[in-house]
């Protein structure tokens, strides 16, 4: 049994939160609710007290003799803010403590997970995006909202995930024993192969999926090493060992070194297949014969996934990613062929393109085994997909024992 604090903010999506609280309690967890004063316009204190059988306070001075915002955090295993409004996210980022919920979050040692819900324009506003990235950099798990109908009558991203999806996410988070004592090595980002001191050959990978997988493995109790290539600092998770490997050769070296003793290795990085055979020592100028045509000779980089599959230890689970293009059938066939060719235990196939796969977008991943047999698929935000995928990998790893 875990002790969960559920914070409720003043958004219309608050009406869904009682379903989450009830489900957590049915799974045997102990739930305390801290609503903001504004949220009681949507769900009243009496509802929370009836659901949980516990006294509910909304302000720091409701029960001042108990110093409630400190007391409730002493034994908390997790704080979940459902929904998290733009105002509360801003208050969390600024370290404000002007209501009981913010005071509790500020004084807590327990991990914090937030499920934002707001209008699309508020979610995409640079101020909110900056707040979210800052909170993630501090270790707060901010789960992206989904695309759908909004209370305003508009449609767009900003809708809180369905209660069942939130419950699944929380239950996975509250099961840290799945990878307890395991060592997990994950690669993320896109490598850049230098052409000269200024230019490089690269790809559009942001590293979001690899970072999300590292957070998911961390939350399941693993000791995690994240080997990252050109990932924005704000995306990198806390609580894991970070190793920078900006180009293919350095990533190969890092993966060889850190995979030793690993139980699970996930190659989620987009590693360049080719690099310039010759790297210019000075900036290549657009003049003379080169003004008309620049010829760059390329050579293949190390196939890191294939190499890791060859030198694996007996009990090591090797997982690769295959980013493919084309229609559904062709990209899936290409991914299955890669699984058969690379020798990894499992390959996660995801579709990429001009508006798919890269960056802060929803994704769909198909998991296949070494023979190309489809084992399952996962869809949603990258955080949701990473959590489900890592839980599946943890289960498969446990089945090997």
């Amino acid at each position: 049994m875990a002790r969960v604090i559920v914070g409720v903010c003043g958004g219309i999506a608050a009406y869904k939160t009682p379903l989450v609280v009830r489900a957590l309690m049915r799974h045997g967890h102990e739930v305390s609710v801290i609503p903001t004063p504004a949220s009681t316009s949507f769900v009243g204190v009496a509802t929370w007290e009836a659901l949980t059988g516990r006294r509910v306070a909304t302000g720091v001075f409701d029960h001042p003799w108990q110093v409630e915002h400190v007391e409730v955090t002493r034994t908390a295993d997790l704080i979940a803010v459902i929904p998290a409004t733009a105002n509360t996210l801003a208050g969390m980022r600024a370290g404000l403590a002007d209501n009981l919920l913010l005071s509790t979050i500020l004084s807590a040692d327990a991990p914090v997970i937030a499920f934002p819900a707001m209008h699309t324009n508020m979610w995409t506003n640079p101020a909110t995006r900056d707040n979210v990235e800052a909170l993630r950099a501090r270790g707060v798990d901010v789960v992206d909202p989904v695309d759908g109908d909004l209370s305003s009558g508009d449609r767009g991203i900003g809708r809180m995930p369905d209660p069942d999806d939130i419950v699944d996410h929380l239950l996975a988070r509250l099961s840290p024993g799945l990878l307890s004592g395991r060592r997990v090595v994950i690669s993320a980002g896109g490598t850049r192969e230098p052409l000269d001191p200024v230019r490089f050959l690269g790809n559009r990978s942001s590293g979001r999926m690899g970072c999300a997988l590292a957070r998911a493995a961390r939350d399941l109790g693993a000791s995690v090493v994240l080997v990252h290539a050109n990932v924005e600092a704000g995306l990198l998770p806390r609580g894991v060992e970070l190793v920078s490997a900006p180009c293919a050769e350095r990533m190969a070296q890092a993966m060889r070194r850190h995979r030793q003793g690993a139980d699970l290795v996930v190659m989620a990085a987009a590693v360049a297949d080719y690099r310039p055979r010759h790297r210019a020592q000075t900036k290549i100028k657009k003049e003379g014969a080169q003004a008309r045509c620049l010829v760059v000779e390329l050579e293949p980089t190390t196939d890191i996934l294939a190499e890791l599959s060859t030198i694996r230890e007996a009990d090591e689970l090797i997982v690769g990613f295959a980013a493919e293009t084309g229609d559904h059938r062709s990209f899936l066939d290409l991914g299955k062929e890669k699984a058969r060719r690379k020798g990894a235990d499992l390959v996660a196939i995801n579709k990429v393109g001009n508006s798919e796969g890269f960056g802060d977008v929803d994704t769909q991943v198909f998991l296949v085994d070494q023979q190309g047999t489809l084992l399952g698929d996962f869809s949603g935000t990258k955080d949701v997909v990473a959590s489900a995928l890592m839980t599946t990998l943890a289960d498969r790893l446990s089945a090997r024992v």
Side-chain angles (χ1 to χ4, degrees):
M1 179 189 72
R3 292 180 172 87
V4 183
I5 296 173
V6 173
V8 187
C9 301
I12 186 64
Y15 80 91
K16 301 178 182 178
T17 310
L19 299 175
V20 177
V21 171
R22 178 177 291 177
L24 290 175
M25 295 178 65
R26 284 178 175 170
H27 280 86
H29 299 300
E30 183 180 294
V31 181
S32 299
V33 176
I34 302 179
T36 64
S39 74
T40 60
S41 296
F42 300 98
V43 182
V45 169
T47 299
W48 300 124
E49 291 183 339
L51 275 176
T52 64
R54 295 175 174 275
R55 185 179 54 190
V56 170
T58 61
V60 177
F61 301 108
D62 286 5
H63 311 117
W65 61 90
Q66 287 191 324
V67 196
E68 194 146 3
H69 62 285
V70 175
E71 188 65 28
V72 296
T73 63
R74 294 189 191 279
T75 58
D77 297 296
L78 180 68
I79 298 176
V81 186
I82 317 168
T85 59
N87 185 66
T88 292
L89 292 174
M92 291 169 60
R93 191 266 175 90
L96 299 183
D98 57 0
N99 63 40
L100 182 57
L101 177 58
L102 287 174
S103 297
T104 300
I105 292 171
L106 194 61
S107 63
D109 292 324
V112 179
I113 180 169
F115 295 87
M118 63 195 72
H119 191 273
T120 304
N121 291 349
M122 298 176 72
W123 175 249
T124 58
N125 188 285
T128 302
R129 305 309 305 151
D130 186 55
N131 290 336
V132 168
E133 296 304 332
L135 289 171
R136 284 173 172 164
R138 295 178 195 167
V140 177
D141 185 1
V142 182
V143 179
D144 288 341
V146 299
D147 188 280
D149 295 328
L150 306 175
S151 61
S152 62
D154 297 323
R155 182 177 178 84
I157 191 168
R159 181 184 176 91
M160 194 172 77
D162 288 337
D164 287 346
D165 293 333
I166 294 176
V167 171
D168 288 345
H169 196 102
L170 293 176
L171 291 178
R173 184 70 179 264
L174 293 169
S175 303
L178 286 176
L179 286 175
S180 180
R182 300 286 195 174
R183 176 177 168 82
V184 177
V185 180
I186 300 171
S187 68
T191 64
R192 297 176 179 178
E193 311 307 317
L195 179 60
D196 64 18
V198 177
R199 304 177 181 89
F200 60 85
L201 299 180
N203 57 68
R204 294 170 53 200
S205 175
S206 65
R208 287 178 181 273
M209 177 56 77
C211 290
L213 287 167
R215 285 194 297 271
R218 175 202 65 192
D219 294 342
L220 291 174
S223 172
V224 182
V225 178
L226 179 64
V227 180
H228 59 94
N230 309 297
V231 178
E232 291 182 13
L235 296 178
L236 295 172
R238 298 180 59 142
V240 307
E241 182 180 349
L242 299 174
V243 179
S244 176
C247 65
E249 186 53 39
R250 287 183 58 181
M251 178 161 284
Q253 294 170 359
M255 293 302 294
R256 292 186 198 112
R257 181 169 67 253
H258 290 283
R259 59 148 290 276
Q260 297 181 25
D263 299 288
L264 172 62
V265 177
V266 182
M267 277 297 301
V271 182
D273 294 319
Y274 295 91
R275 65 182 170 217
R277 182 180 292 276
H278 304 290
R279 176 183 176 182
Q281 298 304 306
T282 58
K283 180 182 176 182
I284 299 172
K285 301 294 184 180
K286 187 179 179 181
E287 57 190 26
Q290 293 180 350
R292 291 185 299 165
C293 181
L294 175 65
V295 177
V296 179
E297 188 177 4
L298 302 178
E299 62 180 4
T301 59
T302 301
D303 190 330
I304 303 175
L305 179 59
E307 180 182 284
L308 294 176
S309 299
T310 301
I311 63 175
R312 78 171 73 211
E313 298 176 3
D315 55 352
E316 192 175 5
L317 184 65
I318 306 291
V319 182
F321 265 70
E324 301 291 350
T325 59
D327 60 34
H328 179 80
R329 183 182 183 88
S330 62
F331 100 87
L332 201 54
D333 287 343
L334 288 169
K336 289 179 178 180
E337 173 57 31
K338 183 173 183 177
R340 289 187 285 266
R341 187 175 70 252
K342 296 289 187 179
D345 296 294
L346 303 169
V347 170
I349 311 167
N350 62 308
K351 189 175 182 180
V352 297
N354 292 329
S355 59
E356 295 179 288
F358 297 118
D360 188 11
V361 298
D362 284 3
T363 190
Q364 185 172 20
V365 170
F366 297 85
L367 187 65
V368 300
D369 64 15
Q370 200 173 68
Q371 289 72 44
T373 303
L374 183 62
L375 303 178
D377 65 275
F378 313 89
S379 60
T381 67
K382 290 183 177 176
D383 284 330
V384 169
V385 170
S387 179
L389 183 57
M390 189 55 66
T391 299
T392 299
L393 298 180
D395 288 338
R396 196 171 185 90
L397 196 60
S398 297
R400 288 187 160 198
V401 179

